Amino acid sequence: MSKTVVIDPVTRIEGHAKISVFLNDAGEVDSARFHVVEYRGFERFCEGRPFTEMAGITARICGICPVSHLLASAKTGDKILAVQIPPAAEKLRRLMNLGQLTQSHALSFFHLSSPDFFLGWDSDPAKRNVFGLIAENPDLARAGIRLRQFGQTIIEILGAKKIHAAWAVPGGVRSHLSEEGRQWIRDRLPESFDTITLGLNLFKTMLDTQFKDEPAIFGEFPSLFMSLVGKDGEWEHYGGHLRFTDSQGNIVADGLSEDDYHDFIGEAVEPWSYLKFPYYKPLGYPEGMYRVGPLARLNTCSYIGTEAADRELQELRQRAGGVPTSSFLYHYARLIEILACLEKIQQYMDDPELSSDRIRAHAGVNQLEAVGVSEAPRGTLFHHYNVDENGLIQKVNLIIATGQNNLAMNKTVTQIAQHYIHNNDISEGFLNRIEHGIRCFDPCLSCSTHAVGQMPLHVELIAPDGAVVKKVYRS
C-alpha cells in the first residue's frame, strides 16, 4: 500500500507550509511536494488605492524584506510619473537595499540554517534552533545577531524605521544620509567584515569536512538562472537588465527589460498550492524551470566588482568545477553577497552625494501602466501596475522570488527524500534534511501568496497502479 509522509509545519522559514512525501509499495520515494498553505490577497485589495500609496502598502507584505517591495514599488511609481530620479536618490535606494540584503542573508544563515550546520542534522529538534546555537556557540550566535543588526540599522538610519519604512517614494526618497548615520556605519563596518570572514571560513571548512556529500544531494540538477546584471554583466541588485544563463554558464537571453516580462515568464498554477509556478516561456512548463536569488545572481553575473567578493566568487566557481548548480550552495552564495554588500557600503561612505538634498523629482501621472523590478534577498521581484488617469490602481501583478524558485524547491525536496528514505525507514533527522532543502532557498511565503489561487479542497492518495487509496476533504 502506498504511503504519504507529511512534514507540517516546515520550520525555520518565513510563513506557513508543509511537505508531502509520497512513498510506493516498496517504501521508496516516488515524489515530494512543497505545499504553500497560506493566502493573503495583496494583489486584489490594492485595487482602487492611489499608486503613490503602493510603496507603503506593499512593504507590509513582509516584515523580513519590506525594503524589497518598497523599492520595486517606488521604481514602478517612477515609471508612472515618467521621471528619472536624482542621482543621489538612486544611490540612497541602493544603500538601503545593501542593508536589506545584509540583514536578510544574516538572518537566513546565522539564525535559520546554522542550527543544522553546527548542532547537526540529527540533533534534538527541541534544541535545534537559534537558542540551541546560542547555548552551543554564543560567540558565533552573537556575531550573527550583530551583523543582522548592522543591516537593519542602515535601513533605520535612512528610513527612520527598521521595518516598513515609508521612505522610498515615486520620484525618489524622502531624506538623505545624515553625517551621524554615516559615521555609525563607518564605525561598525570592521566588525561586520570580521563576522562575514568568520562565516565564510566556517562554511568552507564544513564543505571540506562534514558536508562533502550534501552539495550532490541537496538540489543538484541543471536549470536556468535569472537575475539583473549591469551593462557589462556585473553583479546587480537594483538596476541594469535581466539575463538568463544555463547550467554550463551560457547566456540564454540577455538585455531583457522588465517591461516585457510577459514575453519570457509564464505563470502556471497547481491545485495543491497557493504558490504560483513561474517558468521560462520559450521552454514551456515545467521544462522552463529557473532559479533566482543569491546563487542565481552569482551565476548570471560576469563579476561582482569588489575585490574580496570577486576572489570568493572565483573560489566558489573553482570548488564547483564551473557553474555551481547545487541548491545547497545558496548558503555559500549568501555569504559572498554579504561580503559584496559590505564592500559596496564602504565605498558609499566616501560619497558626498548621499548627503545631497536633491533627492526627489515631482510629476503627475504620465503613464497608465508600468513594471518595476529589483533584486530582493531571495531573488528578482516584479511589480506590475495598471492605473487610471487619476493614478488609482486598476490591476496589480506581483511576481515574487520565492514563486520563481517553486519548481526548483519541489525538485530539491524530491531529490533529498529519494536519497535518504528507503524501505519505509523515516527518521526525524531524515525529515529535517528534507525540510532543509526548502531552507536552502530561504523562502518568504508571506511575500509569495497574493494572487487568487486554489486551495486543495480535497486530497487524493494514489497507489502505483493508479487506484485511489484514500480521499481527504476539507470541511
Side-chain angles (χ1 to χ4, degrees), residues 78-97:
D78 298 341
K79 289 185 175 181
I80 291 173
L81 298 178
V83 299
Q84 181 175 342
I85 69 171
E90 179 176 329
K91 290 179 180 179
L92 287 162
R93 286 183 182 180
R94 285 177 172 273
L95 178 59
M96 182 177 270
N97 204 35

PDB file of all heavy atoms in Angstrom, residues 78-97:
ATOM      1  N   ASP A  78       8.038  55.490 -10.302  1.00  0.00           N
ATOM      2  CA  ASP A  78       8.875  56.373 -11.116  1.00  0.00           C
ATOM      3  C   ASP A  78       8.430  56.340 -12.574  1.00  0.00           C
ATOM      4  O   ASP A  78       8.372  57.373 -13.264  1.00  0.00           O
ATOM      5  CB  ASP A  78      10.340  55.940 -11.060  1.00  0.00           C
ATOM      6  CG  ASP A  78      10.946  56.000  -9.672  1.00  0.00           C
ATOM      7  OD1 ASP A  78      10.390  56.696  -8.804  1.00  0.00           O
ATOM      8  OD2 ASP A  78      11.993  55.342  -9.474  1.00  0.00           O
ATOM      9  N   LYS A  79       8.114  55.138 -13.054  1.00  0.00           N
ATOM     10  CA  LYS A  79       7.715  54.994 -14.456  1.00  0.00           C
ATOM     11  C   LYS A  79       6.333  55.583 -14.709  1.00  0.00           C
ATOM     12  O   LYS A  79       6.069  56.125 -15.789  1.00  0.00           O
ATOM     13  CB  LYS A  79       7.747  53.521 -14.855  1.00  0.00           C
ATOM     14  CG  LYS A  79       9.144  52.935 -14.972  1.00  0.00           C
ATOM     15  CD  LYS A  79       9.077  51.508 -15.498  1.00  0.00           C
ATOM     16  CE  LYS A  79      10.448  50.935 -15.744  1.00  0.00           C
ATOM     17  NZ  LYS A  79      10.387  49.553 -16.278  1.00  0.00           N
ATOM     18  N   ILE A  80       5.431  55.459 -13.738  1.00  0.00           N
ATOM     19  CA  ILE A  80       4.107  56.063 -13.904  1.00  0.00           C
ATOM     20  C   ILE A  80       4.240  57.590 -13.991  1.00  0.00           C
ATOM     21  O   ILE A  80       3.550  58.243 -14.786  1.00  0.00           O
ATOM     22  CB  ILE A  80       3.177  55.638 -12.751  1.00  0.00           C
ATOM     23  CG1 ILE A  80       2.859  54.146 -12.874  1.00  0.00           C
ATOM     24  CG2 ILE A  80       1.883  56.457 -12.760  1.00  0.00           C
ATOM     25  CD1 ILE A  80       2.092  53.572 -11.698  1.00  0.00           C
ATOM     26  N   LEU A  81       5.134  58.161 -13.211  1.00  0.00           N
ATOM     27  CA  LEU A  81       5.412  59.593 -13.297  1.00  0.00           C
ATOM     28  C   LEU A  81       6.230  59.938 -14.544  1.00  0.00           C
ATOM     29  O   LEU A  81       6.270  61.100 -14.947  1.00  0.00           O
ATOM     30  CB  LEU A  81       6.190  60.050 -12.058  1.00  0.00           C
ATOM     31  CG  LEU A  81       5.524  59.906 -10.689  1.00  0.00           C
ATOM     32  CD1 LEU A  81       6.477  60.370  -9.593  1.00  0.00           C
ATOM     33  CD2 LEU A  81       4.222  60.690 -10.631  1.00  0.00           C
ATOM     34  N   ALA A  82       6.901  58.943 -15.125  1.00  0.00           N
ATOM     35  CA  ALA A  82       7.792  59.136 -16.277  1.00  0.00           C
ATOM     36  C   ALA A  82       8.922  60.092 -15.940  1.00  0.00           C
ATOM     37  O   ALA A  82       9.255  61.005 -16.705  1.00  0.00           O
ATOM     38  CB  ALA A  82       7.009  59.625 -17.501  1.00  0.00           C
ATOM     39  N   VAL A  83       9.551  59.866 -14.761  1.00  0.00           N
ATOM     40  CA  VAL A  83      10.651  60.718 -14.336  1.00  0.00           C
ATOM     41  C   VAL A  83      11.918  59.897 -14.167  1.00  0.00           C
ATOM     42  O   VAL A  83      11.872  58.683 -13.932  1.00  0.00           O
ATOM     43  CB  VAL A  83      10.340  61.439 -13.004  1.00  0.00           C
ATOM     44  CG1 VAL A  83       9.128  62.340 -13.153  1.00  0.00           C
ATOM     45  CG2 VAL A  83      10.150  60.443 -11.855  1.00  0.00           C
ATOM     46  N   GLN A  84      13.048  60.574 -14.276  1.00  0.00           N
ATOM     47  CA  GLN A  84      14.327  59.999 -13.899  1.00  0.00           C
ATOM     48  C   GLN A  84      14.670  60.567 -12.534  1.00  0.00           C
ATOM     49  O   GLN A  84      14.791  61.784 -12.368  1.00  0.00           O
ATOM     50  CB  GLN A  84      15.419  60.357 -14.914  1.00  0.00           C
ATOM     51  CG  GLN A  84      16.771  59.763 -14.576  1.00  0.00           C
ATOM     52  CD  GLN A  84      17.794  60.029 -15.667  1.00  0.00           C
ATOM     53  OE1 GLN A  84      17.431  60.354 -16.800  1.00  0.00           O
ATOM     54  NE2 GLN A  84      19.064  59.907 -15.340  1.00  0.00           N
ATOM     55  N   ILE A  85      14.813  59.705 -11.544  1.00  0.00           N
ATOM     56  CA  ILE A  85      15.034  60.207 -10.196  1.00  0.00           C
ATOM     57  C   ILE A  85      16.433  60.799 -10.084  1.00  0.00           C
ATOM     58  O   ILE A  85      17.341  60.443 -10.851  1.00  0.00           O
ATOM     59  CB  ILE A  85      14.807  59.113  -9.140  1.00  0.00           C
ATOM     60  CG1 ILE A  85      15.898  58.038  -9.203  1.00  0.00           C
ATOM     61  CG2 ILE A  85      13.422  58.502  -9.288  1.00  0.00           C
ATOM     62  CD1 ILE A  85      15.845  57.050  -8.045  1.00  0.00           C
ATOM     63  N   PRO A  86      16.670  61.732  -9.145  1.00  0.00           N
ATOM     64  CA  PRO A  86      18.001  62.328  -8.976  1.00  0.00           C
ATOM     65  C   PRO A  86      19.052  61.275  -8.665  1.00  0.00           C
ATOM     66  O   PRO A  86      18.764  60.263  -8.011  1.00  0.00           O
ATOM     67  CB  PRO A  86      17.814  63.290  -7.791  1.00  0.00           C
ATOM     68  CG  PRO A  86      16.357  63.600  -7.774  1.00  0.00           C
ATOM     69  CD  PRO A  86      15.674  62.342  -8.240  1.00  0.00           C
ATOM     70  N   PRO A  87      20.293  61.503  -9.110  1.00  0.00           N
ATOM     71  CA  PRO A  87      21.356  60.518  -8.850  1.00  0.00           C
ATOM     72  C   PRO A  87      21.533  60.189  -7.375  1.00  0.00           C
ATOM     73  O   PRO A  87      21.772  59.032  -7.021  1.00  0.00           O
ATOM     74  CB  PRO A  87      22.604  61.197  -9.423  1.00  0.00           C
ATOM     75  CG  PRO A  87      22.080  62.126 -10.471  1.00  0.00           C
ATOM     76  CD  PRO A  87      20.760  62.604  -9.969  1.00  0.00           C
ATOM     77  N   ALA A  88      21.408  61.186  -6.503  1.00  0.00           N
ATOM     78  CA  ALA A  88      21.565  60.921  -5.067  1.00  0.00           C
ATOM     79  C   ALA A  88      20.483  59.977  -4.572  1.00  0.00           C
ATOM     80  O   ALA A  88      20.738  59.118  -3.711  1.00  0.00           O
ATOM     81  CB  ALA A  88      21.526  62.232  -4.281  1.00  0.00           C
ATOM     82  N   ALA A  89      19.261  60.114  -5.101  1.00  0.00           N
ATOM     83  CA  ALA A  89      18.159  59.257  -4.671  1.00  0.00           C
ATOM     84  C   ALA A  89      18.425  57.815  -5.058  1.00  0.00           C
ATOM     85  O   ALA A  89      18.140  56.896  -4.275  1.00  0.00           O
ATOM     86  CB  ALA A  89      16.847  59.748  -5.285  1.00  0.00           C
ATOM     87  N   GLU A  90      18.966  57.590  -6.261  1.00  0.00           N
ATOM     88  CA  GLU A  90      19.269  56.209  -6.654  1.00  0.00           C
ATOM     89  C   GLU A  90      20.346  55.615  -5.767  1.00  0.00           C
ATOM     90  O   GLU A  90      20.250  54.463  -5.323  1.00  0.00           O
ATOM     91  CB  GLU A  90      19.723  56.135  -8.112  1.00  0.00           C
ATOM     92  CG  GLU A  90      20.064  54.702  -8.511  1.00  0.00           C
ATOM     93  CD  GLU A  90      20.419  54.530  -9.967  1.00  0.00           C
ATOM     94  OE1 GLU A  90      19.887  55.288 -10.807  1.00  0.00           O
ATOM     95  OE2 GLU A  90      21.222  53.619 -10.262  1.00  0.00           O
ATOM     96  N   LYS A  91      21.379  56.391  -5.452  1.00  0.00           N
ATOM     97  CA  LYS A  91      22.439  55.878  -4.577  1.00  0.00           C
ATOM     98  C   LYS A  91      21.893  55.557  -3.189  1.00  0.00           C
ATOM     99  O   LYS A  91      22.265  54.547  -2.584  1.00  0.00           O
ATOM    100  CB  LYS A  91      23.562  56.903  -4.481  1.00  0.00           C
ATOM    101  CG  LYS A  91      24.359  57.062  -5.770  1.00  0.00           C
ATOM    102  CD  LYS A  91      25.447  58.112  -5.602  1.00  0.00           C
ATOM    103  CE  LYS A  91      26.251  58.279  -6.890  1.00  0.00           C
ATOM    104  NZ  LYS A  91      27.309  59.313  -6.745  1.00  0.00           N
ATOM    105  N   LEU A  92      21.016  56.410  -2.677  1.00  0.00           N
ATOM    106  CA  LEU A  92      20.435  56.163  -1.360  1.00  0.00           C
ATOM    107  C   LEU A  92      19.560  54.914  -1.366  1.00  0.00           C
ATOM    108  O   LEU A  92      19.586  54.115  -0.421  1.00  0.00           O
ATOM    109  CB  LEU A  92      19.634  57.385  -0.918  1.00  0.00           C
ATOM    110  CG  LEU A  92      20.480  58.596  -0.512  1.00  0.00           C
ATOM    111  CD1 LEU A  92      19.640  59.868  -0.517  1.00  0.00           C
ATOM    112  CD2 LEU A  92      21.107  58.385   0.861  1.00  0.00           C
ATOM    113  N   ARG A  93      18.769  54.728  -2.434  1.00  0.00           N
ATOM    114  CA  ARG A  93      17.977  53.491  -2.550  1.00  0.00           C
ATOM    115  C   ARG A  93      18.898  52.278  -2.579  1.00  0.00           C
ATOM    116  O   ARG A  93      18.616  51.251  -1.959  1.00  0.00           O
ATOM    117  CB  ARG A  93      17.122  53.525  -3.815  1.00  0.00           C
ATOM    118  CG  ARG A  93      15.914  54.448  -3.769  1.00  0.00           C
ATOM    119  CD  ARG A  93      15.125  54.320  -5.062  1.00  0.00           C
ATOM    120  NE  ARG A  93      13.965  55.201  -5.118  1.00  0.00           N
ATOM    121  CZ  ARG A  93      13.126  55.269  -6.155  1.00  0.00           C
ATOM    122  NH1 ARG A  93      13.341  54.480  -7.216  1.00  0.00           N
ATOM    123  NH2 ARG A  93      12.096  56.089  -6.137  1.00  0.00           N
ATOM    124  N   ARG A  94      19.988  52.387  -3.331  1.00  0.00           N
ATOM    125  CA  ARG A  94      20.926  51.276  -3.412  1.00  0.00           C
ATOM    126  C   ARG A  94      21.523  50.975  -2.036  1.00  0.00           C
ATOM    127  O   ARG A  94      21.677  49.803  -1.653  1.00  0.00           O
ATOM    128  CB  ARG A  94      22.041  51.595  -4.411  1.00  0.00           C
ATOM    129  CG  ARG A  94      21.609  51.494  -5.876  1.00  0.00           C
ATOM    130  CD  ARG A  94      22.741  51.887  -6.813  1.00  0.00           C
ATOM    131  NE  ARG A  94      22.412  51.611  -8.200  1.00  0.00           N
ATOM    132  CZ  ARG A  94      22.603  50.461  -8.811  1.00  0.00           C
ATOM    133  NH1 ARG A  94      23.141  49.437  -8.141  1.00  0.00           N
ATOM    134  NH2 ARG A  94      22.273  50.280 -10.077  1.00  0.00           N
ATOM    135  N   LEU A  95      21.869  52.010  -1.278  1.00  0.00           N
ATOM    136  CA  LEU A  95      22.434  51.803   0.044  1.00  0.00           C
ATOM    137  C   LEU A  95      21.451  51.079   0.952  1.00  0.00           C
ATOM    138  O   LEU A  95      21.832  50.155   1.676  1.00  0.00           O
ATOM    139  CB  LEU A  95      22.835  53.153   0.656  1.00  0.00           C
ATOM    140  CG  LEU A  95      23.409  53.104   2.075  1.00  0.00           C
ATOM    141  CD1 LEU A  95      24.667  52.240   2.148  1.00  0.00           C
ATOM    142  CD2 LEU A  95      23.700  54.527   2.576  1.00  0.00           C
ATOM    143  N   MET A  96      20.182  51.487   0.911  1.00  0.00           N
ATOM    144  CA  MET A  96      19.197  50.802   1.739  1.00  0.00           C
ATOM    145  C   MET A  96      19.048  49.345   1.319  1.00  0.00           C
ATOM    146  O   MET A  96      18.923  48.456   2.165  1.00  0.00           O
ATOM    147  CB  MET A  96      17.841  51.496   1.675  1.00  0.00           C
ATOM    148  CG  MET A  96      16.796  50.835   2.566  1.00  0.00           C
ATOM    149  SD  MET A  96      15.184  51.634   2.607  1.00  0.00           S
ATOM    150  CE  MET A  96      15.422  52.782   3.980  1.00  0.00           C
ATOM    151  N   ASN A  97      19.085  49.075   0.016  1.00  0.00           N
ATOM    152  CA  ASN A  97      18.951  47.690  -0.427  1.00  0.00           C
ATOM    153  C   ASN A  97      20.161  46.856  -0.012  1.00  0.00           C
ATOM    154  O   ASN A  97      20.026  45.671   0.302  1.00  0.00           O
ATOM    155  CB  ASN A  97      18.761  47.624  -1.944  1.00  0.00           C
ATOM    156  CG  ASN A  97      18.052  46.354  -2.375  1.00  0.00           C
ATOM    157  OD1 ASN A  97      17.180  45.846  -1.673  1.00  0.00           O
ATOM    158  ND2 ASN A  97      18.411  45.820  -3.536  1.00  0.00           N
TER     159      ASN A  97
END
